[in-house]
Amino acid sequence: MKKYIRFGLMILTSTVIMYGLMYLNTYELSHVYFSETRVYMAIMMGAVMAIVMMLFMWKMYKNKKLNSIILTGSVVVFGLMLFLVRSQTTVNEVSWMRAMIPHHSIAILTSERANLEDERVQQLADEIIEAQVEEIAEMEALIEELQNEEDEDEGTPEDE
């Protein structure tokens, strides 16, 4: 049973690390926001990792029934996370903007640091940088505004 606990801890640790790695290509640290969508992606990758590792190490884990449960559970988790990523069912305004800010930040990083020689392409990259910086500022302001409205709504007793 210790092997299975260790297996689970490896998957959990890898999933948490993968979530963090998704932010390494943001332009600046202030653009890192908690992202519901990225959580779903990390869990989806963890589920795939569990499937691959279990299939490669099938003989190392002797309980075939438990192995099958792990594989089946991983497939179900993968399917659920894929649905959540693709449908965005649980993502509201603030969650969406928190996911979009790092996405826009990646566009800034790649546009700024690419080795562009063609003047037209460089102009396009500069325009992308300018647009993304403006959009990030707008999203940050909207997040603050929406959170302040939410705080005010929670603090105000409802009319009866």
Side-chain angles (χ1 to χ4, degrees):
M1 192 47 90
K2 285 182 182 181
K3 284 183 178 182
Y4 288 98
I5 292 170
R6 187 174 183 164
F7 181 86
L9 290 173
M10 285 189 302
I11 298 301
L12 178 63
T13 302
S14 298
T15 301
V16 170
I17 290 169
M18 284 185 272
Y19 177 80
L21 289 174
M22 284 190 254
Y23 290 98
L24 289 181
N25 58 347
T26 53
Y27 180 67
E28 59 184 54
L29 192 57
S30 69
H31 295 163
V32 173
Y33 283 80
F34 171 79
S35 169
E36 200 175 325
T37 300
R38 287 172 191 244
V39 168
Y40 301 150
M41 286 297 300
I43 294 171
M44 190 167 59
M45 288 185 278
V48 170
M49 179 179 261
I51 293 166
V52 170
M53 287 177 62
M54 182 54 68
L55 291 175
F56 269 96
M57 300 186 296
W58 187 264
K59 291 181 181 176
M60 186 174 144
Y61 295 94
K62 304 295 183 202
N63 187 333
K64 303 306 177 202
K65 184 177 179 181
L66 189 51
N67 294 356
S68 296
I69 290 170
I70 290 169
L71 285 175
T72 302
S74 297
V75 169
V76 169
V77 167
F78 174 84
L80 177 61
M81 293 303 112
L82 181 61
F83 168 76
L84 290 172
V85 165
R86 302 285 302 167
S87 70
Q88 296 289 291
T89 300
T90 63
V91 175
N92 65 20
E93 290 85 355
V94 173
S95 294
W96 176 77
M97 289 185 286
R98 285 184 175 156
M100 291 305 294
I101 289 171
H103 172 76
H104 282 46
S105 184
I106 293 165
I108 294 169
L109 180 113
T110 57
S111 297
E112 182 180 283
R113 300 199 178 151
N115 185 19
L116 306 175
E117 295 179 11
D118 188 288
E119 195 174 296
R120 299 164 299 175
V121 177
Q122 183 62 57
Q123 180 180 349
L124 178 60
D126 293 341
E127 290 168 4
I128 288 170
I129 292 167
E130 184 179 335
Q132 301 306 303
V133 167
E134 288 175 14
E135 289 175 10
I136 287 171
E138 183 178 357
M139 286 186 281
E140 289 173 333
L142 273 170
I143 288 170
E144 187 172 334
E145 186 178 318
L146 289 170
Q147 287 177 329
N148 287 339
E149 288 173 9
E150 188 177 294
D151 290 344
E152 288 173 9
D153 290 345
E154 288 177 5
T156 307
E158 291 184 29
D159 294 331
E160 293 184 28

